[in-house]
Amino acid sequence: MEKKQLSPYISVVSPVYKDWEGLAHCLESIAAQVRPPAFEVIVVDDGSESQVPEFVYANTKDIAEFKLGPIAHAGASEARNHGVTLSRGDLILFVDSDCALERNCLYELARSCDKNPGEVAFQLRITGEDGDIVGRSIRLDLSAKIGRASCRE
C-alpha cells in the first residue's frame, strides 16, 4: 500500500509598515481559506510608529497560529527575513500587506507540493482586482530554510 504524502506546514509571512487597513484585508483573505493545510501567519511590523490597531486582531480570530514580530524600521526585505527566522513551516509564502490570497491559494499550493515532492520552488501569478497581471513571478531555489537563495527569471 502506498503511503500518502502529508501536506507541508506553510508559514505565511507578511511584512507591514503603517498599512493597517491593507493588512486587515490581507489577513481576512488568509482566514477565509477553503480546505487549508496546516499553516501559521507571521506579521512583521517594520517599525510602524503606531501600535497595531484592534481591528487588525479581529481578522486573526479564525487563524489558529498567529505571531506578530516587530522590528526597528529596516525595510520590507529585512522584515521578510525576520519572519523567516520566526517561522516553523516546511514552505514559506510571502504575502505583502496590500495583497490578498484567493480562497483556495493555500490548498492549491499544498496540493502542488504533494504532487511534486521533489520541487523546491513554485511560481504564483500575481494579479490585480481586474485580473491583469501586476507582478512577475520568479523561481526561488532555497538551499536551506534560512540558507542562501538565488532568483532566476
Side-chain angles (χ1 to χ4, degrees), residues 19-66:
D19 185 15
W20 303 120
E21 289 182 21
L23 177 64
H25 181 64
C26 176
L27 292 172
E28 186 179 301
S29 77
I30 296 169
Q33 292 296 295
V34 176
R35 297 183 297 175
F39 71 96
E40 67 181 346
V41 175
I42 301 164
V43 171
V44 180
D45 176 8
D46 183 27
S48 301
E49 292 87 20
S50 62
Q51 289 195 336
V52 180
E54 284 301 315
F55 70 85
V56 171
Y57 289 110
N59 288 316
T60 66
K61 69 180 183 296
D62 294 324
I63 298 173
E65 296 190 47
F66 175 79

Side-chain angles (χ1 to χ4, degrees), residues 51-124:
Q51 289 195 336
V52 180
E54 284 301 315
F55 70 85
V56 171
Y57 289 110
N59 288 316
T60 66
K61 69 180 183 296
D62 294 324
I63 298 173
E65 296 190 47
F66 175 79
K67 297 176 191 170
L68 179 65
I71 62 171
H73 184 57
S77 61
E78 286 299 317
R80 286 184 191 94
N81 290 340
H82 183 65
V84 169
T85 65
L86 299 174
S87 72
R88 297 184 304 123
D90 303 306
L91 184 69
I92 299 170
L93 176 62
F94 297 109
V95 181
D96 288 346
S97 61
D98 61 348
C99 296
L101 299 181
E102 291 292 329
R103 293 178 54 91
N104 65 342
C105 179
L106 297 181
Y107 169 77
E108 290 297 334
L109 187 57
R111 192 170 73 103
S112 292
C113 288
D114 284 348
K115 284 183 170 182
N116 306 288
E119 293 295 320
V120 295
F122 294 89
Q123 295 184 28
L124 300 176

